[in-house]
Amino acid sequence: MDRNGRFSIELEYSFPYQQIWLTIDKYFYSAILANKGLSITFDLTKLKRKPVEFSGEGVSYRGPDAALNEWLGRSMLYTANEMDKVPEDLPLDSLYKIKGRIDHAFATENPSGFEWLSENERMSNYYSRLLHAAYISGKQPILWDAIKAHKPYLISNNGMTFVRSLYSYYVNVASKLNLNNYSVRKEVRELDSLFGEPLANLLKLQIFRDDPKDNALILKDLIAETQTQWVREVLKKRYETACKHLREVDSILKDAKPLAGNLLVGEHPESLSFGAQLSILPDMEAKDFLAKLKRAYPGKTIILDLWATWCKPCISQMAYSKELYRLSSDLPVQFVYLCSNKDSDISKWKNKIAEFRQPGIHFFTGHKLVEELMAMVNTASFPTYICLAPSGKIVPNAIKSMSATNIDDIKRLVNADEI
């Protein structure tokens, strides 16, 4: 923000009707739509007296998108207030019929030419929920022909949730693609045939792989198979970013150093520059692994993270774990990450650790050991966290997720034997 209180938001791509959820401290909160150009003035004198959500005094719009956003703010506020009166346990069809009547009532009282926007957003949201139900059941969703014909006009929460839901349903239920024997050309042909432009283009942008090397190869193939110019531009930019990211990962792994000593209980130990120690764990029983772990790190509280390279919830928690590792550097705590070899390999494991620059002790091991450790704490899903007190006993339910754990929780676990 400059001295005159001005700031600008520059969007990466000039997509039509891009939604931005904008918060100005505690004074303003709303969903802004950027299409051709927009300037907003915030009068803090008024907003400090009465903060604004969606629409109210103290916020004014100028530019080509001004009328659109003035109408949208009032519409969202009106709809939110009316939907608060509607029971949440109604059947899905009934709920969306009521929302349709609410949108129609507002549009009748406030004619603007933007009525299509509410209709498109409502149907994107409705179809997303039908697709989610179909994904869970494994059956074709009701209104399948209408869903295939639907075109989300907004790059918004609702619009992109529809696209992601449709792609997830297509890949996991409708399509017969074997992702272990994957062909981008085949998937692109199927998307074009089944959905046509422009929806197929948005669906192509959902194709990716978690492994950085696989993802770069996928993007290269996608560029070759895509004719629409704006899609190619997005894919090329992603490919450049993926290649840069891959070079960084390769550089980190290339500089790995052999690790001497008996700190690790695995084989082929090596260390990476950001404080990660990696080794391959031979087959053993869970009780033997825990015993060796305690002997390797006496007097320390051990936080054991059971994860997999393909597990998105596991990956999403890594940044929080990394921060906890940093905050607890002066405490007698050891973070240990145990990655399952199920549907993965050593290369993908190392790539993930280097990608996130995740410090700590890392093991790659057989899934049988991971399952046995999970059974010890009555769970069977990734990620699982196990805390061992300095005495070696398991502290039950110590960590549910890394994102919900703070440094004070870690300090309490250091003294778990005294509790």
Side-chain angles (χ1 to χ4, degrees), residues 109-263:
E109 296 174 13
N110 302 269
S112 65
F114 302 122
E115 292 79 7
W116 62 270
L117 186 151
S118 294
E119 171 70 11
N120 190 256
E121 284 280 87
R122 185 173 71 255
M123 298 316 296
S124 290
N125 189 285
Y126 178 44
Y127 291 152
S128 297
R129 296 180 70 170
L130 293 180
L131 285 163
H132 179 70
Y135 175 86
I136 298 297
S137 69
K139 299 177 182 178
Q140 183 171 294
I142 61 172
L143 303 178
W144 178 228
D145 288 339
I147 288 173
K148 287 190 293 182
H150 179 63
K151 295 178 175 60
Y153 292 121
L154 281 70
I155 305 299
S156 63
N157 283 7
N158 288 329
M160 296 315 295
T161 297
F162 168 76
V163 172
R164 287 190 290 269
S165 298
L166 181 58
Y167 182 74
S168 181
Y169 169 78
Y170 158 75
V171 168
N172 294 288
V173 181
S175 172
K176 302 304 180 185
L177 288 173
N178 179 359
L179 296 183
N180 293 320
N181 186 21
Y182 182 78
S183 166
V184 168
R185 182 175 289 117
K186 185 176 188 300
E187 179 163 358
V188 167
R189 282 200 306 265
E190 283 193 16
L191 290 172
D192 286 335
S193 172
L194 192 59
F195 302 106
E197 292 191 16
L199 183 55
N201 286 324
L202 287 173
L203 292 168
K204 290 170 195 174
L205 296 180
Q206 309 307 307
I207 301 174
F208 70 99
R209 289 293 174 271
D210 288 327
D211 182 75
K213 192 170 293 185
D214 289 348
N215 196 47
L217 292 173
I218 289 289
L219 287 167
K220 187 177 181 180
D221 288 345
L222 269 174
I223 293 168
E225 291 296 322
T226 300
Q227 304 304 316
T228 306
Q229 186 58 33
W230 73 265
V231 183
R232 286 175 62 86
E233 289 176 7
V234 175
L235 291 172
K236 284 179 180 178
K237 192 164 186 177
R238 288 184 181 178
Y239 179 65
E240 291 169 2
T241 302
C243 288
K244 179 183 177 183
H245 189 53
L246 188 56
R247 287 193 296 270
E248 292 171 351
V249 168
D250 287 343
S251 175
I252 289 171
L253 295 177
K254 185 179 179 180
D255 291 338
K257 302 288 190 299
L259 194 64
N262 61 353
L263 287 178

Side-chain angles (χ1 to χ4, degrees), residues 71-139:
W71 182 87
L72 178 67
R74 296 197 309 273
S75 173
M76 294 181 76
L77 189 61
Y78 179 90
T79 300
N81 289 336
E82 292 300 311
M83 288 301 292
D84 282 345
K85 305 171 187 175
V86 179
E88 295 182 0
D89 57 352
L90 289 176
L92 191 59
D93 284 351
S94 300
L95 197 63
Y96 278 83
K97 286 177 182 176
I98 292 172
K99 191 174 186 309
R101 290 196 291 269
I102 291 171
D103 288 345
H104 179 72
F106 178 80
T108 301
E109 296 174 13
N110 302 269
S112 65
F114 302 122
E115 292 79 7
W116 62 270
L117 186 151
S118 294
E119 171 70 11
N120 190 256
E121 284 280 87
R122 185 173 71 255
M123 298 316 296
S124 290
N125 189 285
Y126 178 44
Y127 291 152
S128 297
R129 296 180 70 170
L130 293 180
L131 285 163
H132 179 70
Y135 175 86
I136 298 297
S137 69
K139 299 177 182 178

Side-chain angles (χ1 to χ4, degrees), residues 295-313:
R295 285 199 297 271
Y297 307 106
K300 287 191 174 184
T301 294
I302 297 174
I303 296 173
L304 187 58
D305 182 334
L306 309 181
W307 69 289
T309 59
W310 42 262
C311 168
K312 287 182 173 56

Side-chain angles (χ1 to χ4, degrees), residues 303-331:
I303 296 173
L304 187 58
D305 182 334
L306 309 181
W307 69 289
T309 59
W310 42 262
C311 168
K312 287 182 173 56
C314 301
I315 301 303
S316 71
Q317 293 295 305
M318 285 295 183
Y320 300 100
S321 182
K322 184 177 179 179
E323 178 64 6
L324 286 172
Y325 181 97
R326 184 187 69 82
L327 293 172
S328 60
S329 60
D330 59 344
L331 297 174

